[in-house]
Amino acid sequence: MGVVILLIMAAGVAAMLTRKLPTAFALVLLAVGIALVAEAPLTGENSLFDTVFQEGAPMLAATMIAILIGSWLGKLLDETGIAGTLVRKIVEFGGDRPVVVALGVLAVSTLVGTVTGSAPAAMLAGIIGIPAMVAVGIPKVTAAGTVLMGIAAGAPFELPLWQFFSTALELPVSTVRTFMLKIFPLAMAAAVLYVLVESRRRGVEHAWALKSPAKSKARPQRRADAPWYALLTPVVPLVLALGFEFAIIPSMLAGVLYALITTTRPGQMSKRLLRTLYGGFEVAAPPITLFIAIGILLAAVKLPGAVAALEPLVKAVSPQNTVAFVLVFTLLVPLCLYRGPLNIYGLGSGIAGVLIAAGIYPATAVLGIAASYQQVFGVSDPTSTQTVWSAQYAGVSPQQVMLRTLPYVWLVALGGFCITAAVYL
């Protein structure tokens, strides 16, 4: 039975890799197949309808709400000019010093990455930041990678991500926060190293020798600069969640209110709130759909029949020695690319559920594995929306960005596995 489930999983991975099925649809079909092979009844306790679908679909509801609020806040950062002002001030400060400009855009990308992820984060930092870097001589691939490395450096403080790991792995938010604080210095150091090395690796490429990525597209209309105190908006949720240990959703709502109050006249507040909220729904719809499917898959792999079938197989290939743990999971890093089996936003969530349900690793160790792989996926996966957008906007291919950034995020993953082995095993 366990072998059959693994074959079903392999078929699901193939369907996602070949784009025969969207990821969310493939995950739901995987869940149905696993439940049927595990001999789950159609209704009742541990059943396909009542457990897998009814309980699984809303399993990550708190994460979905956090993503919606993060998208809402991202829309506010865009519409109020907060994100654009941050990037412009950094570019003005850097002048014609390429490395300074790149480090500044990296800092803004990191800040934006704490608020929202995926393509919206890349757009907030990159619409102005990528052309500015190219204009002062930063190579195109390096410019795209700088935005992505910055977003990944901010991901350890992305509150919706905390909520996802907390709910999916059944861990307290405080435990997730503790690990994220440990991996942040690694992600930040790798991002700075990337800028310092890659901006000098091939020398400065002068702007006149390049076709600006923004020239082929309509330039966005410049908004007036936001007030200086409004620029603190991305910090507000972090201060509340980290400094005062507020819950995630209230902390993010406070960021929304702060952005609104510091940039909008009272008579226009209600219209702006509704307009950006509806825009946030459009941005949040794809990840929310994916998280519904992930919840269904998690419910399926946690069925008693599925756990009993997979436990001996997974335990046989899961290293228990700390050194072997680090080496094996480091070597498996490429399997989280191209929507591979270790992608936490795909089949990897199901594998994580099996590792915990079968008692192979403690949930904290699975958190370390998932968060480390997330650092790789968020930057180098040529199928992720932020990578595709950044590469195309810079005028290069996602594969070029992958090859240039992968060594750096691979090191971050290695560091994450070392922390996990030392602290949680």
Side-chain angles (χ1 to χ4, degrees):
M1 187 185 299
V3 175
V4 176
I5 291 177
L6 290 179
L7 290 175
I8 292 174
M9 289 182 170
V13 172
M16 288 183 280
L17 285 175
T18 58
R19 298 183 180 272
K20 298 293 185 183
L21 283 174
T23 300
F25 293 171
L27 295 182
V28 172
L29 291 177
L30 272 175
V32 173
I34 291 170
L36 293 177
V37 172
E39 300 180 351
L42 293 180
T43 61
E45 186 178 1
N46 295 319
S47 65
L48 175 62
F49 292 159
D50 295 338
T51 303
V52 175
F53 282 103
Q54 181 65 27
E55 297 178 13
M59 181 184 294
L60 301 175
T63 303
M64 299 176 208
I65 294 172
I67 288 172
L68 174 59
I69 299 174
S71 300
W72 187 10
L73 183 52
K75 278 291 184 181
L76 274 170
L77 291 180
D78 180 27
E79 182 171 312
T80 58
I82 292 173
T85 302
L86 281 168
V87 178
R88 281 194 295 270
K89 294 299 182 185
I90 288 295
V91 171
E92 290 170 5
F93 173 78
D96 58 355
R97 295 168 292 180
V99 175
V100 176
V101 172
L103 288 174
V105 174
L106 177 73
V108 175
S109 302
T110 302
L111 199 58
V112 170
T114 67
V115 174
T116 184
S118 194
M123 294 172 68
L124 285 171
I127 283 178
I128 299 173
I130 289 176
M133 285 187 284
V134 172
V136 295
I138 296 294
K140 290 180 177 181
V141 176
T142 304
T146 296
V147 171
L148 295 169
M149 293 292 291
I151 294 171
F157 293 121
E158 186 186 347
L159 300 188
L161 187 61
W162 291 9
Q163 188 66 65
F164 169 60
F165 285 137
S166 173
T167 307
L169 305 180
E170 299 181 1
L171 287 169
V173 172
S174 58
T175 302
V176 177
R177 180 175 61 232
T178 298
F179 182 81
M180 292 302 194
L181 290 174
K182 287 180 169 61
I183 203 171
F184 168 70
L186 302 177
M188 193 73 246
V192 173
L193 182 65
Y194 172 85
V195 171
L196 296 178
V197 172
E198 296 298 327
S199 61
R200 292 182 170 88
R201 185 176 180 181
R202 297 194 306 173
V204 171
E205 294 181 352
H206 295 288
W208 53 262
L210 296 168
K211 181 181 178 181
S212 174
K215 287 184 178 179
S216 60
K217 303 175 176 64
R219 289 183 180 273
Q221 184 178 1
R222 173 169 175 168
R223 299 183 176 92
D225 284 351
W228 68 266
Y229 43 84
L231 304 184
L232 300 175
T233 296
V235 181
V236 171
L238 291 179
V239 170
L240 294 177
L242 281 172
F244 296 94
E245 297 187 359
F246 277 30
I248 288 173
I249 290 175
S251 298
M252 298 182 69
L253 285 173
V256 169
L257 291 176
Y258 184 84
L260 185 74
I261 292 170
T262 56
T263 59
T264 310
R265 294 176 181 176
Q268 299 175 343
M269 284 185 179
S270 60
K271 290 183 178 180
R272 175 164 278 176
L273 271 178
L274 284 176
R275 185 169 58 249
T276 53
L277 176 59
Y278 294 156
F281 270 104
E282 293 180 4
V283 173
I288 286 177
T289 302
L290 181 60
F291 282 117
I292 291 173
I294 289 174
I296 291 172
L297 178 62
L298 284 172
V301 298
K302 291 179 180 179
L303 291 170
V307 172
L310 290 172
E311 181 179 1
L313 296 176
V314 177
K315 185 173 290 185
V317 298
S318 300
Q320 299 300 315
N321 177 274
T322 55
V323 175
F325 175 93
V326 172
L327 290 176
V328 169
F329 283 106
T330 300
L331 291 174
L332 293 179
V333 158
L335 294 183
C336 71
L337 300 175
Y338 289 98
R339 304 286 174 178
L342 294 181
N343 183 337
I344 192 62
Y345 299 121
L347 184 57
S349 59
I351 294 174
V354 172
L355 291 174
I356 295 173
I360 296 171
Y361 294 127
T364 47
V366 177
L367 166 65
I369 296 170
S372 300
Y373 282 139
Q374 193 274 338
Q375 282 288 318
V376 178
F377 165 82
V379 176
S380 298
D381 190 337
T383 67
S384 67
T385 54
Q386 65 266 32
T387 305
V388 171
W389 183 89
S390 299
Q392 290 180 344
Y393 191 70
V396 296
S397 71
Q399 287 75 19
Q400 287 176 283
V401 175
M402 177 190 70
L403 293 175
R404 195 64 60 84
T405 58
L406 186 56
Y408 299 90
V409 290
W410 207 323
L411 287 175
V412 177
L414 170 60
F417 297 138
C418 289
I419 294 172
T420 302
V423 178
Y424 300 124
L425 289 184

